[in-house]
Amino acid sequence: MRHMGLLLLLVALQLELTKLSGAFCFSICVHLLAVAVVLEQVMKFEECLCSQGRDGTVKCWDIGDGGLSRAPSVMIATNAYHFCKLSLVKRPHSCSTQVDGPKHHDEGERETTDADTLDDSEEKVQGYLSELSRTNEENTEVGGSKYIAIAGEQSSEVEIWDLNTAERCMRLPQSCSTGSSAISTKERGMCMAVQAFLPSESQGFLNVVAGYEDGSMLWWDIRNPGVPVTSVKFHSEPVLSLCIDDSCNGGISGAADEKIVLYSLDNSMGTCVIKKEIDLERPGISSTSIRPDGKIFATAGWDHRVRVYNYCTGNALAILKYHHATCNAVSYSPDCKLMASASEDTVVALWKLYTPQT
């Protein structure tokens, strides 16, 4: 539970530490497993934390009263045991349509759901899409979505789960409503990175970008789960990290090769196009994060370095040489004032640099 308290402390990221002067605020030493979980695999939505473990489960923890429950409110047995981190839904600031799932009325803890017991039939998928469409038409206020995207039990697939009902909604790829067979992603290898997002042009339907072991990326729209919107291959090695910006019109990717790719997403044309490639002296980017204001982004590298870049130009701004082992996670606070980094040296560090002028 000491580690869970730490998770709550770091995920909130709205600490009074912003009052401290200087670029580097402080660092703390924690267990290595907790470091792996803190920044990348524990995510906050509304009054819950969502965590992913290497035991094949995803859990939600209630934090509404300022504390942390000892038992999760939701536990999903995804039966996925690989290293792809889950993704909550990235929303554009201008989007006002609420993405919500089917309503449920169970006020208590929901029972564990096992992936083996679920039915992803075409009828269920179409029912889910119809329900989601009705929900979007009826709800216009801004709200947090309650879906996650995760690499599936079949490691080349992506799964969408509803955290309201603890049910799997669909797989990507999956057979289309027209009866045509879905494409196969097995030849691409394992899904290594995933990012769910909500383009303003999508009418409230989720989109997912997934990176694969062969260096390719697929852009999915759940309205057509059998065929991706587009397929690109920007990397020669496995894609390890994906981040979509807050406009949902572009993002960055990091891989096991020697480059970082900045790309644009054109929702009307369904295209993903390289804006800039940044060459690295050493390979390996474990994590990427774009600051919510879209001005800078950071990467966590195998070379023990955290690097900061201008998101618009791709120009390098800083190299942070603090960690003593592979950096495996980096993330910005919602107010853009803090950046957190984590490393296999068992250190989580909070940084204050390039803070927005107020």
Side-chain angles (χ1 to χ4, degrees), residues 62-300:
D62 291 330
I63 57 172
D65 297 328
L68 187 65
S69 59
R70 292 184 176 272
S73 58
V74 180
M75 185 171 71
I76 303 170
T78 65
N79 295 336
Y81 298 97
H82 35 81
F83 296 95
C84 179
K85 305 177 182 73
L86 68 83
S87 169
L88 296 183
V89 180
K90 178 68 69 71
R91 299 172 52 84
H93 287 308
S94 59
C95 182
S96 60
T97 301
Q98 181 174 357
V99 178
D100 209 346
K103 300 294 185 287
H104 63 89
H105 304 283
D106 181 8
E107 299 297 332
E109 179 180 346
R110 294 183 287 284
E111 295 182 357
T112 299
T113 302
D114 193 296
D116 290 336
T117 66
L118 297 175
D119 175 20
D120 287 329
S121 64
E122 182 177 332
E123 291 78 9
K124 179 178 179 180
V125 171
Q126 292 304 314
Y128 154 69
L129 291 175
S130 298
E131 175 68 22
L132 182 57
S133 178
R134 288 194 300 271
T135 301
N136 291 333
E137 292 174 357
E138 295 169 0
N139 295 280
T140 57
E141 64 181 73
V142 175
S145 57
K146 300 179 182 64
Y147 296 96
I148 61 169
I150 188 172
E153 183 177 4
Q154 301 298 319
S155 61
S156 64
E157 297 180 347
V158 177
E159 296 178 353
I160 307 297
W161 288 76
D162 184 342
L163 296 181
N164 278 325
T165 61
E167 292 184 348
R168 182 173 57 205
C169 303
M170 66 172 58
R171 296 185 177 96
L172 302 171
Q174 186 161 295
S175 297
C176 305
S177 58
T178 59
S180 58
S181 299
I183 69 164
S184 173
T185 53
K186 291 183 179 180
E187 69 279 2
R188 300 177 185 273
M190 292 188 296
C191 178
M192 305 292 290
V194 64
Q195 173 70 71
F197 64 109
L198 187 67
S200 56
E201 299 90 344
S202 70
Q203 300 177 326
F205 290 96
L206 300 185
N207 283 222
V208 176
V209 172
Y212 295 86
E213 194 174 3
D214 68 347
S216 65
M217 294 162 49
L218 298 183
W219 176 5
W220 299 94
D221 185 324
I222 64 169
R223 288 170 291 185
N224 187 9
V227 180
V229 175
T230 190
S231 171
V232 295
K233 188 173 182 181
F234 297 152
H235 296 278
S236 60
E237 298 291 339
V239 179
L240 302 178
S241 179
L242 293 168
C243 185
I244 302 296
D245 61 34
D246 273 32
S247 70
C248 292
N249 291 321
I252 53 179
S253 61
D257 57 14
E258 291 106 344
K259 64 181 177 181
I260 303 163
V261 175
L262 284 70
Y263 53 86
S264 62
L265 297 171
D266 187 324
N267 295 283
S268 61
M269 299 295 293
T271 58
C272 179
V273 179
I274 293 179
K275 293 195 301 184
K276 183 167 184 175
E277 292 185 359
I278 301 173
D279 294 326
L280 304 172
E281 294 181 359
R282 302 179 184 87
I285 297 296
S286 301
S287 177
T288 54
S289 181
I290 303 171
R291 202 167 71 176
D293 62 5
K295 293 184 176 180
I296 61 176
F297 73 93
T299 65

Side-chain angles (χ1 to χ4, degrees), residues 8 11 42-44 47-51 59-61 63 68:
L8 175 60
V11 173
V42 173
M43 305 179 184
K44 183 175 182 292
E47 299 301 328
C48 295
L49 292 179
C50 184
S51 65
K59 300 178 182 180
C60 293
W61 308 83
I63 57 172
L68 187 65

